Amino acid sequence: MSVQERKERERAGRERLILATARELAEQQGWDAVTTRRLAERIEYSQPVLYSHFRGKREIIGAVALEGAAEMAAALRAAASAADGPRARVTTVARAYLDFAERNPAVYDAMFQLDGGLAFAQEDTPEPLKDAFAALLESLGEVAGDGVHPALFTEVFWAALHGLATLTRAGRLPPGDAGRRVELLVDRLVMI
């Protein structure tokens, strides 16, 4: 292994450590607790080392969002592959989405609530974000209904899921009805 390859591997390892530590801290104490000083202390590197990887907290949030999008896409596809039939697939994907949001609140915030400097629904949208949307579209597009553009249907369904995730987490919806909400959403929006 060349010196350059070793340095690149070490740099990638530091970057993974920074992101893992930021995620852990955000999940434990919220994103306000994630500062470059606190991260530097936790990973035992100087703040300039952090800045050699990320220009600041906004870029860290963006990197966490991209990781989260990739993880969400994988979770949605795994859920879809385990279901039989279009309606069951949509229900399973909706539950997987809401489960992801519940299990990873800080990552979900990085993806959809905080400014990570990422473009959404544009030409320069990063690939992991496009892929997470594609993972939804793969299951939802086939049930959009006649004359409904599959991507538009997916956007509306996604917005409903995001609303459910956000309102549930904020304690604005009664806790015991999550499953019935998903069933109602699927019943009213899926035309098969």
Side-chain angles (χ1 to χ4, degrees):
M1 173 182 303
S2 73
V3 172
Q4 181 64 27
E5 289 173 329
R6 182 181 53 78
K7 286 182 179 184
E8 288 174 9
R9 192 174 67 216
E10 288 172 356
R11 180 172 175 74
R14 276 192 310 271
E15 192 167 298
R16 283 190 304 274
L17 178 61
I18 292 166
L19 293 177
T21 304
R23 285 176 73 157
E24 178 183 326
L25 189 56
E27 293 293 358
Q28 291 172 353
Q29 299 177 30
W31 278 104
D32 287 342
V34 179
T35 64
T36 54
R37 182 187 331 208
R38 189 171 277 164
L39 286 174
E41 289 171 2
R42 284 213 175 182
I43 65 172
E44 298 179 348
Y45 282 104
S46 68
Q47 284 182 289
V49 170
L50 264 76
Y51 286 116
S52 73
H53 290 273
F54 302 99
R55 286 183 286 196
K57 183 175 177 176
R58 183 179 189 220
E59 281 192 5
I60 292 170
I61 290 169
V64 168
L66 294 177
E67 282 185 354
E71 292 166 12
M72 177 182 273
L76 296 176
R77 287 189 175 106
S81 71
D84 287 329
R87 187 178 201 79
R89 217 173 355 269
V90 171
T91 301
T92 304
V93 165
R95 287 186 179 132
Y97 182 99
L98 295 172
D99 288 346
F100 181 89
E102 183 181 352
R103 283 191 324 274
N104 305 284
V107 172
Y108 192 82
D109 284 350
M111 292 168 65
F112 300 120
Q113 306 284 49
L114 302 175
D115 179 10
L118 303 173
F120 281 81
Q122 298 174 24
E123 288 296 318
D124 60 340
T125 298
E127 196 55 42
L129 298 178
K130 289 179 182 179
D131 190 50
F133 183 78
L136 282 172
L137 181 61
E138 290 162 10
S139 292
L140 297 171
E142 67 182 323
V143 299
D146 293 337
V148 178
H149 192 279
L152 183 62
F153 178 80
T154 301
E155 290 170 353
V156 171
F157 201 91
W158 171 32
L161 291 175
H162 177 69
L164 288 173
T166 303
L167 291 170
T168 298
R169 186 164 145 214
R172 302 294 196 266
L173 298 175
D177 295 325
R180 291 193 334 210
R181 286 186 196 99
V182 168
E183 291 299 327
L184 181 61
L185 180 65
V186 172
D187 284 346
R188 296 299 184 246
L189 290 181
V190 175
M191 300 296 152
I192 58 167

